[in-house]
Amino acid sequence: MYFVTRGYTALRGERGQPQSADETIEKLADCLETATLLEDRRAGVLSLKGLVRDWPEEVGNKSFPGLIKVLHTDYKDADITKSLLETITILCTVQHQHDKDDRGFKFTDYFIEDSRNVTVLLDILEEFDFYVRYNTIKLLSTLLANRSKRIQECILTNPMGISLLVDMLDDKRDIIRNEGLLLLIDLTRNNTEIQKIVTFQATFEKLLTVIEEQEGISGDIVVQDSLTLMHNLLRYNVSDQVYFRETSCIQQIPGLLGYVGDTDADHVPFSFEDWPPQKIANTVLVLQLIRILTEPDSSSTPVNQKVMVQSGILLPIVQLGLCSNAPSIVRTEALYSIAYVTAANPDNQAMFGKVMIASPPLLLEDERIDPNAVPGIPRPAMVSLISIALVKDLGFSYSYSSRAAATYAIYCCLEGNPDAQLALASTLKMPPEDNANSTFSDKPHSAGSLLLETIENWEQSLSDPYKVWFACDILSHIIRNNEKAKEIAGSIVFGDEANGEDPVPLLHQIVAQLLLCTKNPSTNPRIPIGYLCLLCTWLYESSSSVSLFLTESTHVQFLIQEMQSSTNDPTVQGLVAYLLGITYEYNDDPSTHLDRTKLQAIFSSRLDQFNSLLARLRDSPAVKNAPQYLQISAEDESISNTTHSLPSLLLDNVFVELFKSTYENIQKSIKKKPSKFSKGENKSDAPTPANLVSADEVIQTYKSTIEEQAAHIKSLEEKIAELESTINTLKSNDELIRSELSTAATDNTSLKQQISELKSNLDTTVSQSTSINEEQTLKITELEKKLEQEQDKFVQLEKEQEDLLVCMGKPISDMY
């Protein structure tokens, strides 16, 4: 009760007189600074703790140094430490985040100014007492929230403190473990060094143990926090990813997602599960973890991709993305996971190509599976990806973000794999009817037939223009930079000759659909944009495709009209100009009906319009804001759903990169005359005997030669003028350098003289200091002798004093 009494006395004042809060706080602060007894300091801390909520400014201003001093001296006492931590936490808590003068920031800055204050907090974590640990973590979290960078610097000065923080994950008390987990999440954000130290404390193993104890993705928010910390440690940190892989943590990811069905079955079954909000959040984080480990262009991605597929990651992510009732956000992340795992990896692409999955079942009105429905035919996973992108599954609706993710997954499955492109191009036809005796109710569809059906029937996409847009984008990925795939696509014809119909090549059919959709005023610009991007990709670097395109002379005339039409969307106009530029650039086939000379006659009067439209497209939001991985943001999706509008996606980033890399070349090519192209580029004109060349042609040739020579002479004259000016500049510089050298030589001479004088002065000073040192040595010797004499006198006086005390003590002893 002593410390309680002391605290009460401090509050009521001397002789029971009332005193103000300022006086009380001042006395308590003085007590912290001067008290020698632990009980007194404990009483002062408890009293300040009671006052800090009502008078935080006064307590902080007057007692903060004292509180820190007591924290360093008495931190091993659990009672006083608990109260100290609570008081400092209250003082450092920010009330108004946007107010830089908030007292919380002020006291935080005071506390962390000395890194030893943070170090002592880490030392306190060794105390097992619940309240001490809990309040220490809360104070560290408060400081970190206020000044994260400085706290990270302080903690790095004591790496063993990080080990103590990680040990909180092993604490059996859930509150301590959870608070420690939240602190580590904030601490590891945006600091690679701390991430590495935390990782090498076996943190991944501990987190996976926590997740397993919480029943995986079906667990509570602790699972979410554990996965968030794993994200912080692995994102953009290759060394941590190597550790994660080498400690066999990647192999545990498939188990976190779970898989409904038999892994040895011939196809992936449809999964129908309950999806509470926490399970959704946990599943999304696991799928994002896969994406972090397989980030495109990362040096560790190929190895991580291989280990993941060997661990069986394909089945669970394929089931979540392609054949489950997972919510849109989960499906989207699963589809992107498929994309990242297979991107530019032929082995993984081949394994994915072999995966067969169940067709979507028929659903009842309450969204349950109809038990009486005949199951559909299992189909390749690639067909399911296209079905999602084009919304071909009856009874199922897919979000724009999921459809974009499916399209990007197809691109990744084809990236860097010409054989996969050819395999998919070979499916650009309707497959034969299935066995009439089959129990399956639906007809089979190939991947290519789904694309052609959508591309040919744009009228069915008026309410959903992204059907045509995604179909064209997928077909462009199939034929991109693959001449054989373009030949296969070019050989496809529409129209049955047996019924008297003229055969129409697929390339011409696409142009015809483009023509029809642009004439319809209700057509959304995304439909012609899709067609134009496909045509640009098809004709790029393909003279045979350009030749096939130009066999119908009306195509160029139609495109010119669309380019000049002011009613068209600016993006459409720019793409038309770009397509015409590609047609002119790669028109190398000698059998082409419209050679460069004829095209140049058409384009020459419209060069300014070409340039302005291409520049406008280059600077347009459609090009600048093209998402890198064909992602539709959650915000964009939400606005689209709320306003019943379309997302802002207009151009695929893959096409945008093509446009950016070729824009200048196409722009220059349009201005070039046919004769300026290399010999192999313009083969449309057959060789003509010299005696048949007309006089006009000879004159024209001489004129062009004279013009070239005149231009060459002019450029040489300009170069001569530049060289003369350069020579004059060099001469003036030479004179300037010579004068500077002369000045430098003079300065060098004067400096040598100064150095000589300084040396002589130095020698004089040394000789003087030597004589002074001898005198000082003699004085020191004399003083030492005097000191010895004085010490002898002092010893003699002490002996005399002892004798005197002995003499004085004898009569007193006689009295007793």
Side-chain angles (χ1 to χ4, degrees), residues 556 560 580-581 584 599-607 610 670:
V556 174
I560 291 291
L580 289 171
Y584 186 74
L599 290 178
Q600 201 262 344
I602 299 173
F603 295 168
S604 59
S605 61
R606 302 175 176 88
L607 291 180
F610 270 105
I670 295 174

Side-chain angles (χ1 to χ4, degrees), residues 3 33 38 42 69 131 137 188 210 239 248 278 358-359 463 540 577 591 618 643 723 745 749:
F3 65 91
E33 296 282 356
L38 176 63
R42 184 185 296 124
K69 179 181 178 182
Y131 291 103
I137 295 173
T188 55
V210 171
S239 64
S248 301
Q278 190 59 59
S359 296
S463 60
Y540 179 70
S591 62
R618 178 198 60 194
T643 60
L723 290 172
T749 304

Side-chain angles (χ1 to χ4, degrees), residues 529-543:
I529 286 173
Y531 284 131
L532 287 166
C533 290
L534 172 57
L535 290 171
C536 290
T537 304
W538 195 329
L539 301 187
Y540 179 70
E541 289 189 336
S542 178
S543 59

Side-chain angles (χ1 to χ4, degrees), residues 38 45 59 64 114 130 148 171 192 218 314 363 397 438 444 459 492 496 566 625 629 655 673 725 751 816:
L38 176 63
V45 170
V59 170
F64 205 68
D114 188 348
F130 173 83
S148 59
D171 201 307
T192 306
S218 299
L314 274 181
L363 300 180
S397 61
S438 172
E459 300 93 338
I492 297 169
D496 190 355
S566 59
N625 300 333
Y629 303 125
F655 176 82
K673 295 180 180 180
S725 65
L751 286 172
Y816 287 92

